[in-house]
Amino acid sequence: MKKSIIYIVIIAIIGVVAFVPGIRNFLKDTFFPVATIENAVHISEEDYDIELKGINAPSTNLKNFKDKGVFLNFWGTWCPPCRKEWPSIQKLYDTRKDHVDFVLIAMNDKEEDVRKFLKENNYTVPVYIAQSPISEKILPKVFPTTFLLDKHGRILIKEDATKDWNTETVHQFIDNIIK
């Protein structure tokens, strides 16, 4: 009798962790916040070479961010999950723009749609549209896709799903690792 109660409790705990997104994400952020830095994938000089047309920032090339920590996000106005994470990205930008550079690249979007989206929502995070091909190493397969790159070009975080970016874990990570 005792063993079956223990099994039921264990199964219930596993079920809660597996099927309740808030708990699953909390545990993931707490225990697995980043990939091991030693095993991080590096972005090469060629991977950084992307001409970027500025929407609410001056036009530039991604290689100008090469020796800096970068929050690199690929998104689209047509993408509901992308739109969902924007408020948390804006809040992160407001508090950490002096610690890491933000580069958000609108994909498969018209410039006027991007401008309208930014204006309607009062978003100020720097947004660009790529004017040259994007390396396969960072070209997203799904949207949104976000990379946190350190100043050595290592991908410390790759998130290819919607995420609340305005968490204490992300703030601490930027403050301590990206420097």
Side-chain angles (χ1 to χ4, degrees):
M1 180 70 173
K2 270 187 170 179
K3 282 186 176 180
S4 54
I5 290 175
I6 291 172
Y7 289 134
I8 291 171
V9 169
I10 291 172
I11 290 171
I13 291 170
I14 291 171
V16 167
V17 169
F19 296 111
V20 178
I23 293 173
R24 183 177 62 234
N25 291 339
F26 171 77
L27 292 173
K28 179 180 160 192
D29 286 346
T30 302
F31 296 108
F32 306 103
V34 296
T36 304
I37 292 174
E38 294 80 25
N39 297 329
V41 174
H42 282 74
I43 303 299
S44 71
E45 183 84 34
E46 296 81 34
D47 297 327
Y48 272 99
D49 192 12
I50 304 169
E51 288 297 326
L52 300 171
K53 179 178 184 178
I55 302 301
N56 60 349
S59 294
T60 188
N61 189 301
L62 188 61
K63 65 184 174 187
N64 293 328
F65 300 95
K66 185 175 181 315
D67 296 320
K68 304 173 182 178
V70 179
F71 180 95
L72 177 61
N73 176 274
F74 294 92
W75 69 287
T77 60
W78 46 266
C79 165
C82 301
R83 295 170 77 100
K84 180 180 177 187
E85 76 177 0
W86 252 97
S88 72
I89 293 173
Q90 180 65 52
K91 288 177 185 169
L92 180 66
Y93 173 75
D94 290 341
T95 58
R96 294 299 185 266
K97 62 186 168 196
D98 295 331
H99 297 84
V100 65
D101 286 317
F102 285 74
V103 177
L104 279 71
I105 300 177
M107 301 289 290
N108 305 322
D109 242 320
K110 295 180 183 169
E111 183 177 338
E112 60 267 15
D113 293 340
V114 176
R115 288 186 187 282
K116 180 181 175 189
F117 174 78
L118 296 174
K119 184 176 182 182
E120 285 176 351
N121 295 286
N122 296 314
Y123 292 139
T124 59
V125 183
V127 174
Y128 305 89
I129 294 178
Q131 301 296 301
S132 58
I134 298 171
S135 164
E136 286 293 323
K137 197 179 287 184
I138 59 174
L139 184 67
K141 309 287 186 266
V142 297
F143 297 94
T145 294
T146 304
F147 297 94
L148 212 52
L149 307 172
D150 74 1
K151 65 183 179 179
H152 304 292
R154 293 180 294 199
I155 298 173
L156 302 179
I157 292 178
K158 178 186 179 197
E159 183 69 46
D160 50 7
T162 300
K163 179 176 176 64
D164 178 0
W165 290 102
N166 191 37
T167 65
E168 188 59 33
T169 303
V170 174
H171 286 262
Q172 289 176 356
F173 185 77
I174 289 173
D175 292 344
N176 295 319
I177 304 295
I178 299 298
K179 293 180 181 177

